[in-house]
Every structure is written in C-alpha cells, then in structure tokens.
Amino acid sequence: ARRSWMARLSAGLRKTGSGITTVFVGTRIDEALYEELEDALLMADTGVKATTQLLQTLRRKVKEHKAADPAAVKALLADALTELLQPLEKPLVIGAHQPTVIMVAGVNGAGKTTSIGKLTRHLADHGQSVLLAAADTFRAAAREQLGVWATRNTVDIISQQGGDPAAVSFDAVSAGRARGKDVVLVDTAGRLPTQLHLMQELTKIRRVITKAYASAPHEVLLVIDGNTGQNALAQVKAFDEALQLTGLIVTKLDGTAKGGVLAAIAQERPVPVYFIGVGEQVQDLQTFKAREFAEALLG
Ligand code: GDP
C-alpha cells in the first residue's frame, strides 16, 4: 500500500529537517538549544530572515507560556511556524470567470508539466471542463508530454508545432471562450536561450492572453521545485516581478525537500501556495495547509 501523502511529506521533509527534530531530544532549554535550532533551520533552507523571526517569536512564546522542557518548546515552534506560513494558505478559487484562465510558468525540471497534469485531473474531479494550451512550442517533448496528460484526462488541447507561443495562447483562450470551458491552462516554456528572453516571452504571452480576454489571465502560477531551497525563493521574486504571480505550486516535497524555503517565501515574498506536489502520480497533488506542513517539517 502506498504511504499516506502526509507520511511521504514528513519523510521527505525530515531528510533535511531531521536536524530540527534532534534539537529537542535533550532535557534543558538553554542557549545551546536555540543555537542548534538556528543551525537546523538554516540547514532546512529557512533563510536568515525567516530564521531570525522564528527564533524571536519562539523566545517570546517560551516566556509567555513558561515552557518547561524542549518538547514544549518544539510545540511552540510548530505554532510559530504555522503563524508564519499561514498567509500562504489560500485556496485556488475557480468560477468567477468563464473560462478562468490560468497561466503556468516554471523553470525546466521544476515539475511544471506534471503539475499541470495533476491540476487538470484535480479540476476535472471537481466537475470543471479544462482546455490545455501547449505554449511551450520550443520543446517538442514538452508538447508531447502535455498531450499524454490531455489524453489521459480526456481534455482538449491546443498545440502547434514550432508556432508562436503567444499565438497559441491567444488561440487557446479564444477557443476556451467559444467552447464554454471552465478553465484554460496555459503551459509556458521553462527555458529559452537567455533568462531575459524567457521573461520577455512570458510577459508577451501574458499581454496577448489579455487581448484575447480582457479580464485574463485570472491566475498566474509558478511551479517551483521544493528541493532547490533558496534558489526557489529567487525564482519566486524574479517571476513575480515579471508576471505578478497569484499562486505557487511547490513540487517534490516527498523527496529530499528543504521545505524550510516556504518559511523564507512567507517572510520575503508571500505568494500563496495553492498546491504541493508529493509524488509523481496524478493524485499526488495536495492543498497546502500551514499547520500540517509545519508539523511535517518538524517531524
Ligand atoms: P518540467 O520540465 O517543469 O515540465 O518538469 P516535469 O513535469 O517534466 O517533471 C520533472 C521530473 O520531476 C519528472 O520526472 C517528474 O515525474 C518529477 N516530479 C514532478 N513533480 C513531482 C513531485 O511532486 N514529486 C516527485 N517525487 N517527483 C515529481
């Protein structure tokens, strides 16, 4: 039997977060405990700012609650982390527009195509009709992979070999409106010759989507690999500046993820986390819950 997604999440997070759990095995609350905790949080990619904030909050809580032993401190850390992560907990809401147009970006390998497949399935399971747009026209493999997901989920796909990504996006949004679809998911390229090209291309797609449908895109999602730690935070900042992100999908949290990066994101660029990826299968997409995540990270 497959382990529950929570078990896989905490196992994945614990591979790097194990340091955090072991901080609390002693019997004394002293400076050494706080120092070890600081190291463990940094190792889990929580980043300097979020780590500093967490430790400040924790010291205050320990005083307020008169925590008597490390186990009590650990519970208070779970509270502090949950509070920090809470702004990221926000559901993806579909239905205010028909179709809801969702543009999806992410660097190659982040798990973008897989996440679009999972999201398609999730939406279909909730009774939404979906149209896929293969706007990553550069990689034939990306188009084919998206085609496989479309077939598997029996949804329409707009795709054009070597075409202009913006034109494919325009056609897909127009087709989505004409066919009365609930959701149009636009898959974009994850790598071009230069980073500048990529951002220009993505902003062009964004503009052209708005030409096809004035209120769109309604959502701009970035898929990030939870294993890439602080680099994921840099990606969130760069893509947010270029595209005004509305949400994130954080993948591979069942792996050796340095999940602390979500605390860094919450601290420095709180873009909501609509979903987390906890495996390669179609059902391995979960909504993000701050409390669950905090407890999984602390092991
Ligand atoms: P893209 O280049 O961003 O479109 O990335 P892909 O969707 O092709 O995914 C890259 C690799 O990561 C594939 O082998 C996926 O199966 C894998 N992958 C994607 N999401 C997850 C996840 O949540 N957990 C795990 N373990 N693997 C994932």
Side-chain angles (χ1 to χ4, degrees):
R2 284 162 53 80
R3 282 191 293 162
S4 80
W5 73 268
M6 268 294 283
R8 274 177 291 136
L9 173 64
S10 47
L13 292 178
R14 231 177 293 141
K15 278 183 204 159
T16 43
S18 60
I20 304 182
T21 313
T22 55
V23 168
F24 301 102
V25 297
T27 51
R28 297 218 325 244
I29 303 174
D30 52 15
E31 275 312 299
L33 183 143
Y34 286 110
E35 269 168 35
E36 271 180 52
L37 182 56
E38 179 172 22
D39 291 348
L41 287 168
L42 291 171
M43 289 287 287
D45 261 319
T46 305
V48 175
K49 286 186 196 164
T51 299
T52 307
Q53 192 192 317
L54 278 170
L55 287 174
Q56 265 177 13
T57 311
L58 183 62
R59 283 176 189 270
R60 181 172 48 72
K61 283 182 186 290
V62 165
K63 252 192 194 161
E64 272 172 20
H65 295 262
K66 302 192 173 61
D69 54 39
V73 178
K74 186 180 174 185
L76 292 173
L77 177 61
D79 291 347
L81 189 54
T82 303
E83 284 164 24
L84 180 62
L85 295 173
Q86 203 63 55
L88 303 186
E89 184 180 318
K90 189 176 166 235
L92 170 66
V93 178
I94 305 288
H97 306 273
Q98 191 160 25
T100 294
V101 179
I102 305 177
M103 177 176 170
V104 188
V107 302
N108 280 359
K112 182 165 52 66
T113 311
T114 308
S115 297
I116 288 175
K118 292 175 182 176
L119 184 55
T120 302
R121 170 64 163 276
H122 171 88
L123 293 167
D125 284 350
H126 286 78
Q128 313 282 351
S129 58
V130 180
L131 177 88
L132 290 176
D136 182 355
T137 58
F138 294 88
R139 281 194 310 162
R143 222 174 34 249
E144 280 159 24
Q145 205 186 338
L146 199 66
V148 171
W149 281 107
T151 310
R152 205 182 285 168
N153 291 292
T154 56
V155 300
D156 296 355
I157 180 165
I158 303 284
S159 150
Q160 192 189 90
Q161 187 179 343
D164 172 25
V168 171
S169 306
F170 186 92
D171 289 351
V173 172
S174 306
R177 296 186 82 180
R179 298 179 199 176
K181 297 289 179 188
D182 297 317
V183 181
V184 176
L185 276 177
V186 182
D187 183 20
T188 65
R191 187 164 62 222
L192 289 177
T194 70
Q195 184 74 3
L196 179 65
H197 278 124
L198 177 61
M199 290 306 176
Q200 283 173 346
E201 157 119 353
L202 294 175
T203 52
K204 183 178 171 194
I205 291 175
R206 197 185 200 293
R207 274 200 315 275
V208 167
I209 287 175
T210 307
K211 277 195 184 149
Y213 188 11
S215 64
H218 308 103
E219 300 285 351
V220 182
L221 306 190
L222 180 69
V223 178
I224 51 173
D225 178 340
N227 286 296
T228 55
Q230 288 290 302
N231 186 21
L233 173 63
Q235 287 173 21
V236 172
K237 288 181 176 170
F239 281 83
D240 188 33
E241 267 141 43
L243 296 173
Q244 294 85 51
L245 299 176
T246 62
L248 302 176
I249 298 178
V250 185
T251 65
K252 308 186 197 181
L253 289 175
D254 55 309
T256 56
K258 300 185 164 200
V261 72
L262 286 194
I265 290 170
Q267 166 79 29
E268 295 191 47
R269 192 61 66 112
V271 179
V273 177
Y274 286 148
F275 297 100
I276 56 174
V278 291
E280 295 184 89
Q281 307 301 315
V282 71
Q283 68 275 19
D284 296 331
L285 187 75
Q286 300 292 332
T287 51
F288 173 76
K289 294 276 185 277
R291 167 65 63 182
E292 282 173 358
F293 191 87
E295 284 176 357
L297 184 63
L298 299 186

